[in-house]
Amino acid sequence: MTKEEKELAEAGYEHLAQQKTHGEKGGEAELDKVDIQEHQLPFKELESELDTSFDPKDPGQSAGLSSGEAKARLTRDGPNILTPPKKKSALRKYWDCLMTMFNVLLIIAGILEYILLGVNFKDNFANTYLGGILIGVAFLNALIEFYQLQKSEAILASFLAMIPPSCRVVRDGTLTTIPAADLVKGDIVLVRSGDKTPADLILFAASDLKVDNSSLTGESEPQERFARPDGVQSRPVEAENLLFNSTLVVNGEGWGVVVRTGDHTMIGQIAALTGNETGKKSPLAVEIGRFVMMVSSIAIIFAVVFFVVGITTVYKGNGEQTVTFAVSILVAFVPEGLPSVVTLLLSIAAKRMAAQNVLVKDLQGVETLGSLTLLATDKTGTLTRNQMTVTNLWSGLRMFSAFQSNNDSQTTESFSIDAPGMREMVDIAALNSHVKFDRTDVAFEQRKILGDATETGFIRFAGKHISDYDGYQKQHARVFEIPFNSSNKWALVILEKQHKDGILTAYIKGAPERVLAKCSTYLKDGEEVPTTDEFKAQYDEAYDYMASRGHRVIACAQKLLRGDIYDESYEFSKTDAKYPSTEYCFCGLISLEDPPKHGVREAIGTLRLAGIKVMMVTGDHPKTAEAIARKINLILGETKETLSKKTGRPVEEIYDDEVDAVVIHGDDIDSLQGWQWDQIFAKNEIVFARTSPQHKLEIVKRAQALGHIVGVTGDGVNDSPALKKADLGIAMNISGSDVSKEAANMILLDDNFASTVKGVAEGRQIFVNLKRSIQYTISHSTPEVIPQLLYVVVPIPLPLSAILILVIDLGFELFVALSFAWDKPETKDGLMRMAPRKPVNDRSITTLKKRALRRTKTLRRDPETNEVIRPSRLAQLLARVRAPFTRQFWEDALEGSDAETLVDGKLLSYAYLEAGVIEMVGALVAYFVVFFKNGFTPGDLRRAQTALTDSPPITYFTKSSPDFVNSRGEVISASKQVDALGQAQSIVYLSIFIIQCFNVFAVKAKFRFPFGRSIVGNPYNFAGILAGACLGVFVIYTPPLHVVFGGSYHLSPLYWLIPVAFGVLLLVWASVRVLLMRKSIEQSRVKDIKGLMMFPTMRTMSMRSRH
């Protein structure tokens, strides 16, 4: 690569390299102020201090508190909850809703009308209504938005109340699960890997326990925690026997006694650490903000220009009337009802998604899901069921199948407990596993097994082949153990199990490569045989056989400990490696399958056909991950490794462009350079395996740097940093940890990955519906503004008063614009076969990187450290002001892009220049026809209006006007003039309404002509039209309302046929538009993907075994 190419590849990522992950540190001084001393006490003193009872030797037999005592303490100390961070008051929230640009413009316009009232009350009395309505509309808009926000917050609060954090506690001598809020001082609590610590605990028993204290201390590495019988004389934050509320248990398990609850805990005492909310704007919020600013700027510019034109021509020196006129222009341009429509549309969509088991925390997250370009998903528990089932066993060079499976080869034997090596395998599965049961007073088959998915799979399998499981466990008591952890990747147990050379047996199980390294012999037909190259070749073949089917593979080994070395008095210790670690006998391999969830294969296929890149990010083995990916449509093509196997060519000789799939090992992620990241994301099929939480976060950041809108699905604690960073975090409700649910923007209530497909379809449809609604709403700006322009330039009598413009914008427009929320997709799979609206391709990435490179070259840096010196706020503001006057700004703005925004050139062209012009011409034709029928030719109208500038000025079309003589010599009295103007203004209002009724269906025509079931199939459209028609007829034909709105009940319905004709013309134009745009729409469709399997995955073997 050339230097320029390397610079360009790194450009988009430079800001990531500069970010150093600083944990949120509470200052040292604050951590020292914390009032916790109990960690210094020995166990006996601790028991008496807290008035409780625990057993460090056998923690499961601890008595704990009685229910009555716990209830009394709860009443005394209060619930174990942190006082929530101070939130904005309802008034402050309402104020924020009110202070949006549109509302501010309306309020200013309304206040101006009231200022005019003070200047000249008599002449401006009619403006009382206008000013009041304008201000009222702003407050109503804010109220609707505020109400919807409160409602969505209430729904979320009720959901979170439904699933309160829970914990395992010993009450009345029994281990039970209770809500964490009910914990009290002195309670005995059991915590396991993946749990969030429910209160501040002192440990009295622990097994390989590690916690993540990064949220408190900023230490990124997990900290080991131990039971210390004599207490620890150190600061609380450094105490090895103390677990803090809300920290994560990342490894092992421990028993602790509660010493602090609620606000008295460490995290409760450090106020600075509570409520650190991140206000990341959704793509939709950014676009709506941009649109509001654009329309507001146009409205202000036009209002100022029209004020200047008006005061220098038709209203010479008459400032008050000119202000009212400028206000009417402002009102015509600003779509007053839009904020309410957007909020209501999103609320309706969120409600619909909740009915499909998708809970949206943030309303705009609904649309974000529709605009995703990349979905990074965890494997275990998200794509698969997290229910491990033993499938195959390999021992003594023979393969056995634990179930009758269609996948196994013909040489595979059926499992039998009497086959050589099988008894040892079952013993290792049963005796070297860490699980608990919900209850032990029922038969083994009826118990619920609590623990790691792999461990529960082993116990479920072993329990079938051991008649008295509990008795067997007691018979072989544990002497020493080293639990599984992520660095060792194996678990060791030494127990009392007699053999011919002694009374102790060591069992080890774990990652195959780690276990095999400890073995010197293998078990064959009950004998220990030395390992050979032939054995290792057979082992590799067996391992590949299991892993290639997507199974998790675990190796088992044993060592029969000689009694002359390892007797009853031998002291085992893991700290100084006083335990047998070599010379084991390899018993065999056990494979477990975690089957894909039903519907996952079709869901991923559908997402890929929708142009969304779906990639797997998992901690599992690359071979297992790839095998599962191939089952579920995630990988269809060849990777370098599979192509190498097929063709016999070395992997190094295969070019990158020959393959379309890639499997990346987590160990390689830290060393990847910018151009390598680009190559990875250029592939259509990506799997990251053996990843850590930091890797997941890095992957999300790298994808976002390329312009991807990233969704992340996950259920574990380790997914939460990535869920928070993603544009849309999607958590699982049933299997998900509390931490992941807190971090996510969206929760799948039924844990069904397929629900994301419904969500994407809903998100895309809501974008289309929002776009239609905006397109429809701003179409009436041209027929409202141009007649005002003619009123000043020609001039002619005012075709539409400001108050009638408001009736259009807030009357029928609001009803109809809302009805788009219930629009169904235009075609069955139309939207789900289109590329995402902001596709990420070579063109978009190159543009992004060129801009990033330009930015990095203009940054100021510290000459010594080379760190970027951030510009001041004033400098940033000045740069923004100067930007529009630079060539680069306009080059960037006018650069072509494949992205579709909410308000783009096509929408503005349609609304202002196509539909807008048809509506404007239709309204003006009707206006002139009505005046002509009342005796005024266009020339007469101009003459009557220019009389205002004569000297002395003559005002026509009022009750006190003189008679007007038209070009035909007819005399028209003042009352007839007023009625003619009323009829003309009424027909302009009705024309806009009638043509807009046709526009409802014209804006929907994208894939098909504006007729047919999919276009007219929304009954709410007709309800909106009916409501608008009732309002229009009521306003125009009700005499008492003429004082406020003008209008005339003499207007003949025959005149309605004029706008109807123009409405038909609009539908004809919409049909022509469909034909013109058909080719470009066809090009943006996602092409068929060869090899997609759009049928369900087979029922799993574990399912089959139940029938």
Side-chain angles (χ1 to χ4, degrees), residues 1075-1089:
L1075 292 171
L1076 295 173
M1077 292 171 67
R1078 188 165 275 175
K1079 194 176 178 186
S1080 66
I1081 287 171
E1082 202 56 47
Q1083 282 172 347
S1084 61
R1085 270 178 71 89
V1086 177
K1087 291 175 178 62
D1088 289 333
I1089 299 169

mmCIF file with all atom_site columns, all heavy atoms in Angstrom, residues 1075-1089:
data_model
loop_
_atom_site.group_PDB
_atom_site.id
_atom_site.type_symbol
_atom_site.label_atom_id
_atom_site.label_alt_id
_atom_site.label_comp_id
_atom_site.label_asym_id
_atom_site.label_entity_id
_atom_site.label_seq_id
_atom_site.pdbx_PDB_ins_code
_atom_site.Cartn_x
_atom_site.Cartn_y
_atom_site.Cartn_z
_atom_site.occupancy
_atom_site.B_iso_or_equiv
_atom_site.pdbx_formal_charge
_atom_site.auth_seq_id
_atom_site.auth_comp_id
_atom_site.auth_asym_id
_atom_site.auth_atom_id
_atom_site.pdbx_PDB_model_num
ATOM 1   N N   . LEU A 1 1075 ? -43.663 5.770   -13.001 1.00 0.00 ? 1075 LEU A N   1
ATOM 2   C CA  . LEU A 1 1075 ? -43.004 5.219   -14.194 1.00 0.00 ? 1075 LEU A CA  1
ATOM 3   C C   . LEU A 1 1075 ? -41.586 5.770   -14.344 1.00 0.00 ? 1075 LEU A C   1
ATOM 4   O O   . LEU A 1 1075 ? -40.656 5.040   -14.677 1.00 0.00 ? 1075 LEU A O   1
ATOM 5   C CB  . LEU A 1 1075 ? -43.826 5.551   -15.452 1.00 0.00 ? 1075 LEU A CB  1
ATOM 6   C CG  . LEU A 1 1075 ? -45.194 4.854   -15.558 1.00 0.00 ? 1075 LEU A CG  1
ATOM 7   C CD1 . LEU A 1 1075 ? -46.000 5.429   -16.721 1.00 0.00 ? 1075 LEU A CD1 1
ATOM 8   C CD2 . LEU A 1 1075 ? -45.020 3.342   -15.732 1.00 0.00 ? 1075 LEU A CD2 1
ATOM 9   N N   . LEU A 1 1076 ? -41.430 7.078   -14.077 1.00 0.00 ? 1076 LEU A N   1
ATOM 10  C CA  . LEU A 1 1076 ? -40.115 7.714   -14.223 1.00 0.00 ? 1076 LEU A CA  1
ATOM 11  C C   . LEU A 1 1076 ? -39.114 7.195   -13.195 1.00 0.00 ? 1076 LEU A C   1
ATOM 12  O O   . LEU A 1 1076 ? -37.929 7.064   -13.473 1.00 0.00 ? 1076 LEU A O   1
ATOM 13  C CB  . LEU A 1 1076 ? -40.239 9.243   -14.084 1.00 0.00 ? 1076 LEU A CB  1
ATOM 14  C CG  . LEU A 1 1076 ? -41.038 9.971   -15.170 1.00 0.00 ? 1076 LEU A CG  1
ATOM 15  C CD1 . LEU A 1 1076 ? -41.223 11.437  -14.814 1.00 0.00 ? 1076 LEU A CD1 1
ATOM 16  C CD2 . LEU A 1 1076 ? -40.318 9.854   -16.523 1.00 0.00 ? 1076 LEU A CD2 1
ATOM 17  N N   . MET A 1 1077 ? -39.603 6.886   -11.971 1.00 0.00 ? 1077 MET A N   1
ATOM 18  C CA  . MET A 1 1077 ? -38.701 6.493   -10.880 1.00 0.00 ? 1077 MET A CA  1
ATOM 19  C C   . MET A 1 1077 ? -38.533 4.983   -10.739 1.00 0.00 ? 1077 MET A C   1
ATOM 20  O O   . MET A 1 1077 ? -37.752 4.513   -9.922  1.00 0.00 ? 1077 MET A O   1
ATOM 21  C CB  . MET A 1 1077 ? -39.210 7.056   -9.554  1.00 0.00 ? 1077 MET A CB  1
ATOM 22  C CG  . MET A 1 1077 ? -39.105 8.576   -9.477  1.00 0.00 ? 1077 MET A CG  1
ATOM 23  S SD  . MET A 1 1077 ? -39.946 9.200   -8.017  1.00 0.00 ? 1077 MET A SD  1
ATOM 24  C CE  . MET A 1 1077 ? -38.897 8.546   -6.735  1.00 0.00 ? 1077 MET A CE  1
ATOM 25  N N   . ARG A 1 1078 ? -39.283 4.229   -11.563 1.00 0.00 ? 1078 ARG A N   1
ATOM 26  C CA  . ARG A 1 1078 ? -39.274 2.772   -11.402 1.00 0.00 ? 1078 ARG A CA  1
ATOM 27  C C   . ARG A 1 1078 ? -37.877 2.172   -11.535 1.00 0.00 ? 1078 ARG A C   1
ATOM 28  O O   . ARG A 1 1078 ? -37.489 1.301   -10.775 1.00 0.00 ? 1078 ARG A O   1
ATOM 29  C CB  . ARG A 1 1078 ? -40.231 2.149   -12.432 1.00 0.00 ? 1078 ARG A CB  1
ATOM 30  C CG  . ARG A 1 1078 ? -40.449 0.670   -12.253 1.00 0.00 ? 1078 ARG A CG  1
ATOM 31  C CD  . ARG A 1 1078 ? -41.649 0.197   -13.035 1.00 0.00 ? 1078 ARG A CD  1
ATOM 32  N NE  . ARG A 1 1078 ? -42.898 0.385   -12.310 1.00 0.00 ? 1078 ARG A NE  1
ATOM 33  C CZ  . ARG A 1 1078 ? -44.095 0.142   -12.827 1.00 0.00 ? 1078 ARG A CZ  1
ATOM 34  N NH1 . ARG A 1 1078 ? -44.211 -0.285  -14.055 1.00 0.00 ? 1078 ARG A NH1 1
ATOM 35  N NH2 . ARG A 1 1078 ? -45.184 0.336   -12.104 1.00 0.00 ? 1078 ARG A NH2 1
ATOM 36  N N   . LYS A 1 1079 ? -37.092 2.678   -12.474 1.00 0.00 ? 1079 LYS A N   1
ATOM 37  C CA  . LYS A 1 1079 ? -35.769 2.113   -12.723 1.00 0.00 ? 1079 LYS A CA  1
ATOM 38  C C   . LYS A 1 1079 ? -34.851 2.317   -11.520 1.00 0.00 ? 1079 LYS A C   1
ATOM 39  O O   . LYS A 1 1079 ? -34.150 1.402   -11.084 1.00 0.00 ? 1079 LYS A O   1
ATOM 40  C CB  . LYS A 1 1079 ? -35.156 2.756   -13.977 1.00 0.00 ? 1079 LYS A CB  1
ATOM 41  C CG  . LYS A 1 1079 ? -33.945 1.979   -14.488 1.00 0.00 ? 1079 LYS A CG  1
ATOM 42  C CD  . LYS A 1 1079 ? -33.414 2.556   -15.781 1.00 0.00 ? 1079 LYS A CD  1
ATOM 43  C CE  . LYS A 1 1079 ? -32.177 1.793   -16.232 1.00 0.00 ? 1079 LYS A CE  1
ATOM 44  N NZ  . LYS A 1 1079 ? -31.550 2.416   -17.401 1.00 0.00 ? 1079 LYS A NZ  1
ATOM 45  N N   . SER A 1 1080 ? -34.861 3.544   -10.957 1.00 0.00 ? 1080 SER A N   1
ATOM 46  C CA  . SER A 1 1080 ? -33.967 3.824   -9.819  1.00 0.00 ? 1080 SER A CA  1
ATOM 47  C C   . SER A 1 1080 ? -34.381 3.005   -8.597  1.00 0.00 ? 1080 SER A C   1
ATOM 48  O O   . SER A 1 1080 ? -33.538 2.556   -7.817  1.00 0.00 ? 1080 SER A O   1
ATOM 49  C CB  . SER A 1 1080 ? -33.970 5.320   -9.483  1.00 0.00 ? 1080 SER A CB  1
ATOM 50  O OG  . SER A 1 1080 ? -35.245 5.715   -9.014  1.00 0.00 ? 1080 SER A OG  1
ATOM 51  N N   . ILE A 1 1081 ? -35.682 2.781   -8.423  1.00 0.00 ? 1081 ILE A N   1
ATOM 52  C CA  . ILE A 1 1081 ? -36.165 1.975   -7.289  1.00 0.00 ? 1081 ILE A CA  1
ATOM 53  C C   . ILE A 1 1081 ? -35.741 0.518   -7.472  1.00 0.00 ? 1081 ILE A C   1
ATOM 54  O O   . ILE A 1 1081 ? -35.319 -0.144  -6.531  1.00 0.00 ? 1081 ILE A O   1
ATOM 55  C CB  . ILE A 1 1081 ? -37.699 2.106   -7.140  1.00 0.00 ? 1081 ILE A CB  1
ATOM 56  C CG1 . ILE A 1 1081 ? -38.034 3.487   -6.589  1.00 0.00 ? 1081 ILE A CG1 1
ATOM 57  C CG2 . ILE A 1 1081 ? -38.273 1.025   -6.232  1.00 0.00 ? 1081 ILE A CG2 1
ATOM 58  C CD1 . ILE A 1 1081 ? -39.494 3.848   -6.596  1.00 0.00 ? 1081 ILE A CD1 1
ATOM 59  N N   . GLU A 1 1082 ? -35.826 0.046   -8.709  1.00 0.00 ? 1082 GLU A N   1
ATOM 60  C CA  . GLU A 1 1082 ? -35.436 -1.346  -9.015  1.00 0.00 ? 1082 GLU A CA  1
ATOM 61  C C   . GLU A 1 1082 ? -33.955 -1.553  -8.708  1.00 0.00 ? 1082 GLU A C   1
ATOM 62  O O   . GLU A 1 1082 ? -33.548 -2.598  -8.208  1.00 0.00 ? 1082 GLU A O   1
ATOM 63  C CB  . GLU A 1 1082 ? -35.731 -1.633  -10.496 1.00 0.00 ? 1082 GLU A CB  1
ATOM 64  C CG  . GLU A 1 1082 ? -35.881 -3.116  -10.815 1.00 0.00 ? 1082 GLU A CG  1
ATOM 65  C CD  . GLU A 1 1082 ? -36.939 -3.841  -9.984  1.00 0.00 ? 1082 GLU A CD  1
ATOM 66  O OE1 . GLU A 1 1082 ? -38.070 -3.314  -9.838  1.00 0.00 ? 1082 GLU A OE1 1
ATOM 67  O OE2 . GLU A 1 1082 ? -36.614 -4.918  -9.460  1.00 0.00 ? 1082 GLU A OE2 1
ATOM 68  N N   . GLN A 1 1083 ? -33.145 -0.508  -8.989  1.00 0.00 ? 1083 GLN A N   1
ATOM 69  C CA  . GLN A 1 1083 ? -31.700 -0.614  -8.750  1.00 0.00 ? 1083 GLN A CA  1
ATOM 70  C C   . GLN A 1 1083 ? -31.364 -0.678  -7.264  1.00 0.00 ? 1083 GLN A C   1
ATOM 71  O O   . GLN A 1 1083 ? -30.364 -1.261  -6.861  1.00 0.00 ? 1083 GLN A O   1
ATOM 72  C CB  . GLN A 1 1083 ? -30.971 0.579   -9.390  1.00 0.00 ? 1083 GLN A CB  1
ATOM 73  C CG  . GLN A 1 1083 ? -30.823 0.415   -10.897 1.00 0.00 ? 1083 GLN A CG  1
ATOM 74  C CD  . GLN A 1 1083 ? -30.291 1.681   -11.553 1.00 0.00 ? 1083 GLN A CD  1
ATOM 75  O OE1 . GLN A 1 1083 ? -30.252 2.753   -10.952 1.00 0.00 ? 1083 GLN A OE1 1
ATOM 76  N NE2 . GLN A 1 1083 ? -29.900 1.565   -12.810 1.00 0.00 ? 1083 GLN A NE2 1
ATOM 77  N N   . SER A 1 1084 ? -32.206 -0.055  -6.426  1.00 0.00 ? 1084 SER A N   1
ATOM 78  C CA  . SER A 1 1084 ? -31.911 -0.048  -4.989  1.00 0.00 ? 1084 SER A CA  1
ATOM 79  C C   . SER A 1 1084 ? -32.452 -1.287  -4.277  1.00 0.00 ? 1084 SER A C   1
ATOM 80  O O   . SER A 1 1084 ? -32.281 -1.442  -3.074  1.00 0.00 ? 1084 SER A O   1
ATOM 81  C CB  . SER A 1 1084 ? -32.461 1.226   -4.329  1.00 0.00 ? 1084 SER A CB  1
ATOM 82  O OG  . SER A 1 1084 ? -33.856 1.281   -4.469  1.00 0.00 ? 1084 SER A OG  1
ATOM 83  N N   . ARG A 1 1085 ? -33.109 -2.181  -5.021  1.00 0.00 ? 1085 ARG A N   1
ATOM 84  C CA  . ARG A 1 1085 ? -33.549 -3.455  -4.429  1.00 0.00 ? 1085 ARG A CA  1
ATOM 85  C C   . ARG A 1 1085 ? -32.340 -4.355  -4.185  1.00 0.00 ? 1085 ARG A C   1
ATOM 86  O O   . ARG A 1 1085 ? -31.407 -4.377  -4.971  1.00 0.00 ? 1085 ARG A O   1
ATOM 87  C CB  . ARG A 1 1085 ? -34.518 -4.180  -5.376  1.00 0.00 ? 1085 ARG A CB  1
ATOM 88  C CG  . ARG A 1 1085 ? -35.968 -3.824  -5.172  1.00 0.00 ? 1085 ARG A CG  1
ATOM 89  C CD  . ARG A 1 1085 ? -36.837 -4.560  -6.182  1.00 0.00 ? 1085 ARG A CD  1
ATOM 90  N NE  . ARG A 1 1085 ? -36.917 -5.992  -5.899  1.00 0.00 ? 1085 ARG A NE  1
ATOM 91  C CZ  . ARG A 1 1085 ? -37.824 -6.539  -5.104  1.00 0.00 ? 1085 ARG A CZ  1
ATOM 92  N NH1 . ARG A 1 1085 ? -38.711 -5.784  -4.508  1.00 0.00 ? 1085 ARG A NH1 1
ATOM 93  N NH2 . ARG A 1 1085 ? -37.864 -7.847  -4.910  1.00 0.00 ? 1085 ARG A NH2 1
ATOM 94  N N   . VAL A 1 1086 ? -32.360 -5.076  -3.091  1.00 0.00 ? 1086 VAL A N   1
ATOM 95  C CA  . VAL A 1 1086 ? -31.264 -6.004  -2.785  1.00 0.00 ? 1086 VAL A CA  1
ATOM 96  C C   . VAL A 1 1086 ? -31.427 -7.234  -3.671  1.00 0.00 ? 1086 VAL A C   1
ATOM 97  O O   . VAL A 1 1086 ? -32.514 -7.805  -3.761  1.00 0.00 ? 1086 VAL A O   1
ATOM 98  C CB  . VAL A 1 1086 ? -31.302 -6.406  -1.292  1.00 0.00 ? 1086 VAL A CB  1
ATOM 99  C CG1 . VAL A 1 1086 ? -30.220 -7.433  -0.981  1.00 0.00 ? 1086 VAL A CG1 1
ATOM 100 C CG2 . VAL A 1 1086 ? -31.151 -5.180  -0.411  1.00 0.00 ? 1086 VAL A CG2 1
ATOM 101 N N   . LYS A 1 1087 ? -30.331 -7.607  -4.317  1.00 0.00 ? 1087 LYS A N   1
ATOM 102 C CA  . LYS A 1 1087 ? -30.398 -8.774  -5.215  1.00 0.00 ? 1087 LYS A CA  1
ATOM 103 C C   . LYS A 1 1087 ? -30.527 -10.066 -4.389  1.00 0.00 ? 1087 LYS A C   1
ATOM 104 O O   . LYS A 1 1087 ? -30.125 -10.117 -3.235  1.00 0.00 ? 1087 LYS A O   1
ATOM 105 C CB  . LYS A 1 1087 ? -29.157 -8.820  -6.092  1.00 0.00 ? 1087 LYS A CB  1
ATOM 106 C CG  . LYS A 1 1087 ? -29.122 -7.675  -7.104  1.00 0.00 ? 1087 LYS A CG  1
ATOM 107 C CD  . LYS A 1 1087 ? -27.832 -7.654  -7.899  1.00 0.00 ? 1087 LYS A CD  1
ATOM 108 C CE  . LYS A 1 1087 ? -27.847 -6.540  -8.937  1.00 0.00 ? 1087 LYS A CE  1
ATOM 109 N NZ  . LYS A 1 1087 ? -27.958 -5.198  -8.350  1.00 0.00 ? 1087 LYS A NZ  1
ATOM 110 N N   . ASP A 1 1088 ? -31.081 -11.092 -5.018  1.00 0.00 ? 1088 ASP A N   1
ATOM 111 C CA  . ASP A 1 1088 ? -31.227 -12.389 -4.333  1.00 0.00 ? 1088 ASP A CA  1
ATOM 112 C C   . ASP A 1 1088 ? -29.855 -12.922 -3.911  1.00 0.00 ? 1088 ASP A C   1
ATOM 113 O O   . ASP A 1 1088 ? -28.862 -12.731 -4.611  1.00 0.00 ? 1088 ASP A O   1
ATOM 114 C CB  . ASP A 1 1088 ? -31.900 -13.412 -5.265  1.00 0.00 ? 1088 ASP A CB  1
ATOM 115 C CG  . ASP A 1 1088 ? -33.380 -13.082 -5.466  1.00 0.00 ? 1088 ASP A CG  1
ATOM 116 O OD1 . ASP A 1 1088 ? -33.956 -12.462 -4.566  1.00 0.00 ? 1088 ASP A OD1 1
ATOM 117 O OD2 . ASP A 1 1088 ? -33.929 -13.436 -6.534  1.00 0.00 ? 1088 ASP A OD2 1
ATOM 118 N N   . ILE A 1 1089 ? -29.838 -13.576 -2.743  1.00 0.00 ? 1089 ILE A N   1
ATOM 119 C CA  . ILE A 1 1089 ? -28.585 -14.140 -2.231  1.00 0.00 ? 1089 ILE A CA  1
ATOM 120 C C   . ILE A 1 1089 ? -28.613 -15.645 -2.466  1.00 0.00 ? 1089 ILE A C   1
ATOM 121 O O   . ILE A 1 1089 ? -29.522 -16.338 -2.005  1.00 0.00 ? 1089 ILE A O   1
ATOM 122 C CB  . ILE A 1 1089 ? -28.416 -13.814 -0.732  1.00 0.00 ? 1089 ILE A CB  1
ATOM 123 C CG1 . ILE A 1 1089 ? -28.375 -12.293 -0.529  1.00 0.00 ? 1089 ILE A CG1 1
ATOM 124 C CG2 . ILE A 1 1089 ? -27.164 -14.469 -0.176  1.00 0.00 ? 1089 ILE A CG2 1
ATOM 125 C CD1 . ILE A 1 1089 ? -28.476 -11.848 0.912   1.00 0.00 ? 1089 ILE A CD1 1
#
